[in-house]
Amino acid sequence: MRNDPDRTRLDPYPAADPPTVQHPAASRTPAPPPVSAPRAAGPYEDEVVEEGVSNPDYRRIRAVNIVCTIINVITALFAIVLAVHIVLVLGSANMANGFASFVESWAANIRLGLNGLFTPDSVQLATLLNEGLAAILWLAIGALLTYLIRRFALPGPRRVQRYRRVVR
């Protein structure tokens, strides 16, 4: 009878050469990747490979994305200021307060000239309609500007090269 290499059991029928067990830390070289077997279903005529080509316009794309992000942030900030002013007016806030007066002065400068467009009897309803429309217009202006900038400043769609792989 021969002993196992790990000495946990006795093997009554030992193999001709017992397998050598090597500790994984003993070998620092990584194992080679497995080789794939060839396809058994015939030639590779239906295989399409896509390769991406590195884009030489990445700086322009990055600059355009930064400009569009800045435009979106500014127009969204204007819409938020108008929305906060609407909430302050609807809630009958004290406009002598520092925060309320700051928001009111800032909202007065970004109304897009829509201050007297709707003239209902209630001041709250007039503020809701006029400044609500201005906030929506700010969001639309931001979306339109970013669409136009991306449309005309960015290069066309990325071209994907397709080819057939020939295996002989």
Side-chain angles (χ1 to χ4, degrees):
M1 284 204 233
R2 274 174 82 177
N3 292 336
D4 243 2
D6 60 352
R7 298 187 186 270
T8 57
R9 63 182 175 86
L10 294 176
D11 190 5
Y13 305 104
D17 291 325
T20 59
V21 177
Q22 186 178 9
H23 194 272
S27 172
R28 297 289 181 202
T29 59
V35 178
S36 61
R39 185 193 283 178
Y44 292 89
E45 60 211 32
D46 61 337
E47 183 173 347
V48 176
V49 178
E50 293 184 1
E51 284 187 352
V53 180
S54 65
N55 196 347
D57 296 327
Y58 74 94
R59 288 185 180 161
R60 180 171 53 161
I61 293 170
R62 184 174 179 205
V64 167
N65 286 337
I66 289 172
V67 168
C68 289
T69 301
I70 291 171
I71 289 172
N72 283 333
V73 166
I74 290 173
T75 56
L77 181 67
F78 288 170
I80 289 171
V81 167
L82 289 170
V84 168
H85 186 254
I86 290 170
V87 169
L88 290 175
V89 169
L90 290 177
S92 300
N94 181 12
M95 290 302 166
N97 184 318
F99 176 73
S101 64
F102 173 72
V103 171
E104 183 180 23
S105 65
W106 203 9
N109 293 325
I110 57 174
R111 285 186 189 140
L112 296 174
L114 299 176
N115 194 20
L117 183 62
F118 297 106
T119 56
D121 295 333
S122 172
V123 174
Q124 295 173 337
L125 185 59
T127 303
L128 175 67
L129 293 175
N130 293 327
E131 291 186 5
L133 181 61
I136 291 171
L137 284 177
W138 274 117
L139 294 176
I141 288 169
L144 180 68
L145 282 176
T146 56
Y147 170 76
L148 291 175
I149 289 172
R150 285 192 172 125
R151 176 81 173 148
F152 294 114
L154 288 180
R158 190 180 121 212
R159 303 221 190 300
V160 176
Q161 295 180 356
R162 298 179 189 275
Y163 63 92
R164 296 194 184 276
R165 180 180 293 167
V166 178
V167 177
R168 294 178 192 220

